[in-house]
Amino acid sequence: MEKIIKKFLNEVNNRNQNEPEFMQAVSEVAETVIPYIVNNDIYYGQNILMRMVEPERVLSFRVAWIDDQEEIQVNRGYRIEMNSAIGPYKGGLRFHPSVNLSILKFLAFEQIFKNSLTTLPMGGGKGGSDFNPKGRSDTEVMRFCQSFMTELFRHIGPNRDIPAGDIGVGSREIGYLFGQYKRLKNEFTGVLTGKGVSWGGSLIRPEATGYGVVYFANQMLKNASKSIKNKSVIISGSGNVAQYAAEKCINLGAKVLTLSDSSGFIFDPDGINIEKLHYIMELKNIKRLRISEYVKKFSKATFYKNKTPWSMKCDIALPCATQNELNEIDAKVLIKNGCFCVSEGANMPSTNNAINLFVKNKILYAPGKASNAGGVAVSGLEMAQNSLRYNWSREEVDERLQSIMKSIHESCLEYGKEKNYTNYVKGANIAGFVKVADAMLAQGVV
Ligand code: NDP
């Protein structure tokens, strides 16, 4: 089996040189899915995984715009249309200076499996730009978004490709992007998700990824006869996903000890309560300041500069910042300190060596493609509401979100059961694969 996997990965690597993040995501899937393919006649010999790792379409374009000093800036825009076997392409847009083809292809590839797990009809895609919104004025962000959409609009549509937010793309950016699309097409359609509630957005969409991460952790804990109540939780990030993961933990009676950003993390021994979290939300979302400001207001807290929070003792860890933020050494420290549950809010935050350690030590470990699927799931619900021209209540959307997270957990159990352990990596990969592979086989070689 090892030989078959190695041969496959060599072939993919030869075709995708210098794309380490993409290769990392493909390896993680290949390790669990290839053995399943080899043992299942309907998939064997169909070159099905090779077809899945090849994007259906890769778009790359120039985004020129003028900054506040009247200097001309040039960025690069992308959209990866990875797989449309079970529905139109769906996945976020990321604006961050680190954005490149490798990062977007890994995200688009993971999105295929994640979207399949939600049970909703959505294919996989991802896009973005190396534009950095940090430190830019609102007008600069608007001009950039308008220029970006002036090219992207011809490739997307409510039945073709429906982008959403991701790192650096929140409600402000979705607003500017939607405004420009509507102006260019002269159409008011559900072409983007994460819209404001008064103009086609869904209630609970901002909360959905973070809430979903905690709902999934809760399912894993329940299955192991444990509960989140009174547990200590460390969270990385302080953006959209981290904020609402923290909110849900607090509401369920857990103690949240840390949050972070790219400059370091804060540790509050008393726990971050709802009032303190609202201060952080204002700090990050409105004032757009750094997390270190927290310790000026709450003096018992400590700021650890340029550090990640994984050295702090906890029961549960929720990585909610970015890819590869938790390595093998961090995993060792977490396990040594008694952490027994890791539910990923970010995409691919744990390195493959860290994942192997979690699995080996029978940690309740949920890969992002399962545990952070709540965001895209509610995006799917936003699309449904747009088609119906109707809005569901907060309770209705939250109930559907909880039921989708539960059903993703059940799919993981179905395909990931091992002796005395549920391997959620294997479960998520195979369950996500089966639905897409069946659709691809039915649709012929295209
Ligand atoms: P935001 O832009 O709202 O927040 C990102 C957070 O992560 C910020 O605190 C940011 O710090 C931190 N961060 C970003 N890059 C780095 C880095 N290189 N090192 C350390 N910290 C970093 O993004 P989201 O919360 O939306 O996204 C977070 C993660 O969740 C991403 O992996 C994303 O792909 C994933 N995700 C998001 C979904 C969504 O619905 N938004 C859905 C599913 C997954 P700083 O402010 O200093 O940059």
Side-chain angles (χ1 to χ4, degrees), residues 108-139:
F109 181 65
E110 293 243 306
Q111 198 82 42
I112 305 174
F113 298 82
K114 184 190 311 195
N115 293 2
S116 163
L117 283 168
T118 66
T119 69
L120 302 175
M122 300 181 290
K126 199 83 189 187
S129 171
D130 57 3
F131 169 71
N132 187 0
K134 231 178 270 165
R136 291 290 180 190
S137 69
D138 282 355
T139 344

Side-chain angles (χ1 to χ4, degrees), residues 94 134 166-168 205 209 238-241 262 290 321 346-347:
R94 176 176 290 191
K134 231 178 270 165
D166 190 76
I167 291 178
R205 177 60 190 89
T209 309
S238 52
N240 172 266
V241 179
S262 54
R290 313 306 297 155
N347 286 306

Side-chain angles (χ1 to χ4, degrees), residues 240-273:
N240 172 266
V241 179
Q243 290 173 13
Y244 288 106
E247 185 180 279
K248 189 49 77 181
C249 285
I250 299 165
N251 287 339
L252 293 177
K255 187 173 181 183
V256 176
L257 295 171
T258 69
L259 283 168
S260 75
D261 63 20
S262 54
S263 55
F265 77 92
I266 51 124
F267 172 76
D268 188 332
D270 291 341
I272 299 166
N273 60 20

Side-chain angles (χ1 to χ4, degrees), residues 31 88 298 314 343 384 423:
E31 299 281 347
F298 303 105
C314 69
S343 184
N423 183 336

Side-chain angles (χ1 to χ4, degrees), residues 188-200:
F188 194 112
T189 55
V191 67
L192 289 156
T193 57
K195 301 187 289 296
V197 174
S198 62
W199 42 280

